[in-house]
Amino acid sequence: MAISRRDFLKNTAAAVALSSLTGISTEAKTQLNEDKNELLKGTKTFKAPCRFCGTGCGVQIHTKEGKIIMTEGDPKAPVNMGLNCIKGYNLSKVLYGKERILYPEIRKNGKLERVSWDEAINYIADRYKKVLKEKGPKAVAIAGSGQWTIPEGYVAAKFMKAGLKSNNIDPNARYCMASAVAAFIRTFQADEPMGSYADFEHADVFVTWGANMAEMHPILFSRLVAQKETTGAILFDLTTRESRTSDEAESVLVFKPQTDLAILNAIANYIVANDLYDKKFVEKNTRIKMAQIEPGYGIDPISAPHLAAMENAQRGRKKAGAGTPMTFDQYKNFLATYTFDYASKISGVPADKIKKLAQAYADPSLKVMSLWTMGFNQHTRGVWCNHLIYNIHLLMGKISEPGNGPFSLTGQPSACGTAREVGTFAHKLPIGVVMKKAHREIAAKIWLGDAKKENEIPSKPGFHMTKMMREFERGNLDIMWVQCCNPFTASPNISRFRDRSLNKDSMLIVSDSYRTASTDLADVVLPAAMWVEKEGFYGNAERRTQHWFQATLPPGEAKEDMWHILAVAEKLGLGHMFPDKDDPQRVKKIFEEYRQFKTGSSKDLAPYEEYVKARGLCWPVVQDKKTGEWKETLWRYNAKYDPYASKALGGKKEGIVFYKAKGKKATMWCCPYEPASEVPDNDYPFWLCTGRVLEHWHTGSMTARIPALHRAVPYAKLEMHPEDAKKLGVKRGEKVKISSRRGTAFYEVDTHGRGRPQKGLVYVPFFDENNPINMLTLDHYDPISKEPDYKKCAVKIEKA
């Protein structure tokens, strides 16, 4: 008998919870439940989203005498319905790890020394005054984060762009989903997915492109598996390394790095050549442009002199993001090259496997959900990959309806809500971009009280994250303030950035909760409150904005990142622009100011109080004029669900319309296959791919402090195909030396782990702060999104 997806997830959650009780009597289990009830007597319970990935799972937090004694999945949360992953179950322990930073510190005579908050803030403010007077706003920068709360990111953006008159602010989200942002905007003139997690319960086919969801987004993967179990849905997994996601797939397509571009075009070619596309939909809703070929790779000639000539030749052409209009027939002729056999020859994937995938996309009776993360985005042609998946969905009209759509997953809890929507990117504002006068006028009216002051907000984009790191390395930035991230471990090619010989006179400020490589290099360290030690909002990957209240006090003298900025702003004479740093209503006031940017923009947010009551709401959230109820939108651009789409169609309640796009038509981009910027050769014969593991998150600065997670995976290993290991004379458990043109490291080999790399490729996760693989990676990036490619570079392996 078929069961509902909700019942499946409830049963799954129960199974997880009771898995450790196997063999225990009914009486003992009853006693355990009674013990739990006794434990929770006299506690306070709070709701909050999880601190880790972009899924946005809801958790319940139980506190007693001001300390968290227990967290558990929130059964009322629509994202996870009570289920948590291993990181979520250990979530509260992230607050109580060793090495919490408790007090402000200033480096004196080469050593960080404890100081008072007054001394630290005055020291920072005095340096800002000096630098701004002598060198101007271009000499200062903030490296922010998709882990900032929405109010924190908003304050940082306003402080920099309207207060200091500098656009040198960029989040670490540049490293993980900037390619998705650029492609959404170039295709639909609006960012973020049009669908929601509800798509999982409607799809017949799932296609994962470079996304190990089983480990990176396990709760969403449980929904995918539930749909497979209850309806017979199928999964295609496209990857360069088989994983636990592959284990659940009906078809696994292992391709050579970078060749996903060829496979995507082969699918589109099949659809077009066989006249299978939705002609009415394509004609009504799309237009086509040819992308600028060979746009470069963001190569820095100083760090990669062997590739400088290629980069200089490509940069001499038109702007990387340029496009030329083309007809459908021209598009068809372009695609004709990408036959299944041609794509197979380039990618190494059997032609019949590509064909079966193409047939699934082309079948009008099947609803298809495409999912991707860093495999697409961390790619020197990441924007193109995103474009090509949109093309397939647009050709078939499989978009903006339940079960049909392209869905970009994110890795940080508020990469969407803070980095993308607040506008903490170097080129963005809370509405639109700094380059457009009309957008600056809106910002000036809200921030400065007068739209005519738009000229006080710089119109030129600031330094993106990789550029910011390069400029700081060379001593061209006098102040760089790092908040909520660890760029001196997370950035590619970090050995160059950790060298402070050229910037010893610059000031590096780091606001963080734990000691990291970034705090080790800092001139000033500020202790930061984290997660429910403060009030906040996050925005997850399905456009769901979630609120939480402070549940416990931070340790020592730690304070929220927003307080750090507000304190400095006050000393710089900018206090009038913000609520007081100690105002108990500051989060509400800042959120309500931020809401002004969104009202009427098709990204509307509900009032603060609505989020206090709800387990999050997916924007646009629009008030029903009859009932007064604030209603979320699960599918954008579809008049049945999206009031802005209905309005664009004259009040109709059916139909798809891309109302933000020029002429209400999405742009399909014609993008060819182009090789990676660095490929294996005789000297460096292996590909290196990096990523994450289930137990750890990002650079491990938090999860490595959780004993259970650290014990489970205490250090990074190098995954290698058994036949490659045999040729090198290396056995599982032995150490190898891995080298790139940028650095060298040593790792233990794993030939039979969770991941199974293809021949000629090795995989190393980047969570190990004591042995960072980013000493070897490339700082080449997509020339449109400026997102680095962490998924492919050339290395050699030697027995240690």
Side-chain angles (χ1 to χ4, degrees):
M1 180 180 71
I3 62 174
S4 71
R5 172 252 170 195
R6 178 180 286 272
D7 289 338
F8 182 91
L9 280 182
K10 283 185 176 179
N11 293 341
T12 302
V16 171
L18 296 174
S19 61
S20 61
L21 304 183
T22 304
I24 297 178
S25 67
T26 301
E27 292 80 5
K29 293 176 184 177
T30 300
Q31 183 62 50
L32 285 172
N33 286 329
E34 291 177 356
D35 290 345
K36 176 186 174 183
N37 292 335
E38 183 66 27
L39 175 68
L40 294 181
K41 280 185 178 179
T43 62
K44 292 183 178 180
T45 301
F46 299 82
K47 69 173 176 72
C50 179
R51 171 63 181 80
F52 293 120
C53 80
T55 300
C57 293
V59 294
Q60 288 186 326
I61 301 145
H62 305 287
T63 67
K64 182 178 286 187
E65 297 177 356
K67 184 174 180 179
I68 298 175
I69 62 167
M70 178 182 172
T71 59
E72 58 184 336
D74 186 349
K76 296 181 180 179
V79 171
N80 56 313
M81 295 184 181
L83 189 65
N84 281 160
C85 74
I86 188 171
K87 292 188 291 295
Y89 285 122
N90 284 279
L91 183 56
S92 63
K93 293 170 186 160
V94 75
L95 303 181
Y96 305 114
K98 296 178 181 179
E99 293 190 306
R100 277 298 297 263
I101 301 171
L102 302 177
Y103 308 101
E105 297 170 343
I106 294 176
R107 190 173 298 278
K108 299 179 179 181
N109 299 317
K111 184 180 179 181
L112 287 170
E113 295 183 7
R114 176 180 170 179
V115 298
S116 68
W117 269 109
D118 282 344
E119 183 177 348
I121 296 302
N122 285 327
Y123 183 68
I124 293 169
D126 287 345
R127 179 63 71 91
Y128 266 106
K129 291 175 183 176
K130 183 177 187 295
V131 170
L132 291 169
K133 180 180 179 180
E134 295 178 358
K135 297 189 178 181
K138 292 183 180 180
V140 301
I142 286 185
S145 176
Q147 299 161 61
W148 264 333
T149 67
I150 289 172
E152 286 171 341
Y154 180 78
V155 164
K158 183 179 180 181
F159 170 71
M160 286 295 289
K161 300 186 180 198
L164 302 188
K165 319 302 183 190
S166 173
N167 287 329
N168 288 341
I169 175 173
D170 213 51
N172 64 346
R174 176 73 67 176
Y175 288 166
C176 59
M177 31 54 60
S179 294
V181 174
F184 271 123
I185 291 173
R186 283 159 54 86
T187 300
F188 305 102
Q189 280 77 71
D191 188 20
E192 301 207 35
M194 54 287 299
S196 66
Y197 295 160
D199 283 317
F200 284 104
E201 284 70 63
H202 295 277
D204 303 305
V205 178
F206 299 98
V207 188
T208 49
W209 293 87
N212 180 13
M213 288 182 65
E215 292 195 74
M216 304 308 107
H217 296 86
I219 300 306
L220 295 182
F221 196 66
S222 74
R223 294 177 67 161
L224 186 156
V225 171
Q227 182 71 352
K228 279 166 53 67
E229 293 287 338
T230 56
T231 70
I234 61 173
L235 168 63
F236 291 85
D237 182 40
L238 289 96
T239 182
T240 61
R241 158 190 175 262
E242 292 190 60
S243 66
R244 287 183 169 182
T245 300
S246 311
D247 295 340
E248 290 290 337
E250 280 68 31
S251 181
V252 181
L253 289 73
V254 179
F255 60 89
K256 297 174 185 176
Q258 193 86 358
T259 64
D260 39 10
L261 292 158
I263 296 171
L264 287 156
N265 275 327
I267 296 168
N269 179 49
Y270 173 78
I271 292 169
V272 172
N274 290 282
D275 216 26
L276 299 173
Y277 63 98
D278 187 329
K279 297 177 183 60
K280 288 184 179 179
F281 185 91
V282 169
E283 183 177 350
K284 178 184 176 183
N285 294 296
T286 70
R287 56 181 181 150
I288 307 172
K289 282 188 176 182
M290 179 69 204
Q292 174 60 45
I293 64 170
E294 297 184 343
Y297 294 102
I299 296 168
D300 183 356
I302 294 176
S303 67
H306 64 295
L307 297 173
M310 175 181 68
E311 181 70 8
N312 289 335
Q314 294 196 5
R315 282 183 176 177
R317 298 185 176 92
K318 290 182 179 180
K319 185 179 178 182
T324 305
M326 64 190 310
T327 65
F328 194 88
D329 285 340
Q330 289 173 324
Y331 176 55
K332 182 176 181 179
N333 291 336
F334 164 84
L335 289 174
T337 300
Y338 293 91
T339 63
F340 293 136
D341 287 339
Y342 179 74
S344 177
K345 183 179 179 180
I346 292 175
S347 68
V349 178
D352 63 324
K353 282 196 169 187
I354 302 175
K355 183 177 181 178
K356 288 179 181 177
L357 174 59
Q359 288 173 330
Y361 272 115
D363 188 336
S365 70
L366 297 177
K367 293 185 175 182
V368 183
M369 188 178 188
S370 299
L371 300 131
W372 66 94
T373 53
M374 301 309 107
F376 258 15
N377 294 339
Q378 292 175 339
H379 192 308
T380 53
R381 295 293 178 265
V383 174
W384 286 8
C385 282
N386 279 259
H387 281 320
L388 296 184
I389 198 67
Y390 303 150
N391 289 356
I392 293 168
H393 281 271
L394 288 167
L395 283 168
M396 295 304 304
K398 294 187 177 185
I399 196 166
S400 295
E401 60 182 20
N404 270 330
F407 203 107
S408 167
L409 297 168
T410 53
Q412 296 188 87
S414 203
C416 290
T418 303
R420 296 163 82 161
E421 290 310 310
V422 167
T424 59
F425 282 99
H427 66 291
K428 292 201 72 177
L429 292 166
I431 186 73
V433 293
V434 299
M435 298 84 79
K436 291 192 176 183
K437 182 179 178 180
H439 297 163
R440 294 196 307 276
E441 287 177 339
I442 296 172
K445 183 176 181 179
I446 296 172
W447 283 348
L448 303 172
D450 187 350
K452 294 180 180 179
K453 293 184 178 181
E454 58 82 18
N455 60 335
E456 295 185 24
I457 298 172
S459 60
K460 183 179 179 181
F463 297 145
H464 58 82
M465 184 67 88
T466 303
K467 177 70 170 174
M468 189 186 299
M469 294 295 288
R470 291 175 180 176
E471 294 300 314
F472 182 72
E473 172 209 3
R474 292 166 184 162
N476 295 332
L477 281 172
D478 288 66
I479 300 176
M480 186 165 85
W481 192 342
V482 173
Q483 286 202 332
C484 253
C485 64
N486 182 19
F488 291 89
T489 296
S491 297
N493 193 10
I494 53 172
S495 58
R496 62 179 296 193
F497 302 131
R498 290 185 176 186
D499 179 2
R500 292 211 55 187
S501 61
L502 297 178
N503 60 31
K504 57 187 178 182
D505 294 327
S506 299
M507 175 186 277
L508 176 62
I509 309 163
V510 178
S511 298
D512 212 331
S513 304
Y514 285 106
R515 303 285 175 189
T516 66
S518 300
T519 62
D520 289 346
L521 293 165
D523 301 292
V524 182
V525 175
L526 303 179
M530 61 190 307
W531 193 41
V532 293
E533 294 171 350
K534 58 190 176 185
E535 182 185 3
F537 286 83
Y538 281 154
N540 77 351
E542 66 166 346
R543 298 173 282 107
R544 183 174 299 277
T545 307
Q546 302 184 77
H547 170 268
W548 73 92
F549 283 116
Q550 181 182 28
T552 186
L553 293 173
E557 296 179 5
K559 297 181 182 293
E560 62 191 294
D561 297 87
M562 180 170 67
W563 190 97
H564 301 181
I565 293 176
L566 292 176
V568 173
E570 183 180 286
K571 293 292 182 180
L572 295 179
L574 302 174
H576 63 282
M577 297 177 65
F578 306 97
D580 185 84
K581 63 183 183 300
D582 296 310
D583 184 343
Q585 295 294 311
R586 62 190 179 277
V587 169
K588 179 179 179 179
K589 290 177 180 178
I590 290 166
F591 182 79
E592 287 299 330
E593 179 181 302
Y594 167 58
R595 266 189 74 222
Q596 296 178 49
F597 282 95
K598 302 302 181 182
T599 302
S601 72
S602 80
K603 296 185 177 183
D604 306 53
L605 297 169
Y608 171 91
E609 288 79 11
E610 296 299 315
Y611 295 99
V612 171
K613 295 184 294 185
R615 260 58 174 186
L617 296 167
C618 296
W619 58 258
V621 186
V622 179
Q623 189 174 33
D624 188 298
K625 293 181 180 179
K626 294 181 179 179
T627 66
E629 180 185 0
W630 291 89
K631 295 184 177 181
E632 66 180 347
T633 301
L634 297 185
W635 289 277
R636 296 163 76 197
Y637 311 129
N638 188 323
K640 185 176 180 180
Y641 309 98
D642 182 350
Y644 280 93
S646 177
K647 181 179 179 181
L649 291 175
K652 293 180 181 178
K653 296 298 181 181
E654 290 186 2
I656 306 294
V657 57
F658 302 114
Y659 50 80
K660 299 290 287 187
K662 183 178 180 180
K664 298 180 183 177
K665 290 190 173 187
T667 303
M668 294 200 301
W669 286 86
C670 184
C671 309
Y673 160 74
E674 290 185 357
S677 61
E678 184 178 85
V679 298
D681 56 24
N682 290 334
D683 295 325
Y684 297 90
F686 286 88
W687 290 104
L688 167 65
C689 179
T690 69
R692 285 167 36 194
V693 294
L694 171 66
E695 292 81 0
H696 287 291
W697 193 72
H698 283 200
T699 61
S701 60
M702 291 180 288
T703 51
R705 269 76 178 186
I706 298 175
L709 300 181
H710 180 68
R711 285 194 301 269
V713 185
Y715 55 87
K717 297 181 181 180
L718 181 147
E719 295 178 356
M720 176 183 284
H721 193 283
E723 292 186 26
D724 287 333
K726 186 177 180 180
K727 288 180 182 178
L728 291 171
V730 178
K731 295 180 181 178
R732 186 183 190 189
E734 294 183 340
K735 283 204 168 183
V736 294
K737 175 184 177 182
I738 175 172
S739 304
S740 73
R741 291 180 173 89
R742 293 153 294 281
T744 295
F746 295 83
Y747 293 96
E748 180 183 315
V749 169
D750 194 352
T751 54
H752 294 84
R754 298 176 195 166
R756 301 178 296 281
Q758 61 182 279
K759 292 180 187 178
L761 182 143
V762 296
Y763 177 89
V764 181
F766 70 96
F767 73 86
D768 192 341
E769 60 186 347
N770 296 313
N771 193 15
I773 190 60
N774 281 328
M775 300 292 277
L776 281 71
T777 48
L778 279 171
D779 57 339
H780 301 179
Y781 52 75
D782 181 297
I784 301 172
S785 68
K786 312 301 189 290
E787 180 168 348
D789 192 331
Y790 290 89
K791 300 303 180 185
K792 59 190 84 75
C793 70
V795 296
K796 61 181 175 182
I797 313 290
E798 302 168 274
K799 190 171 183 179

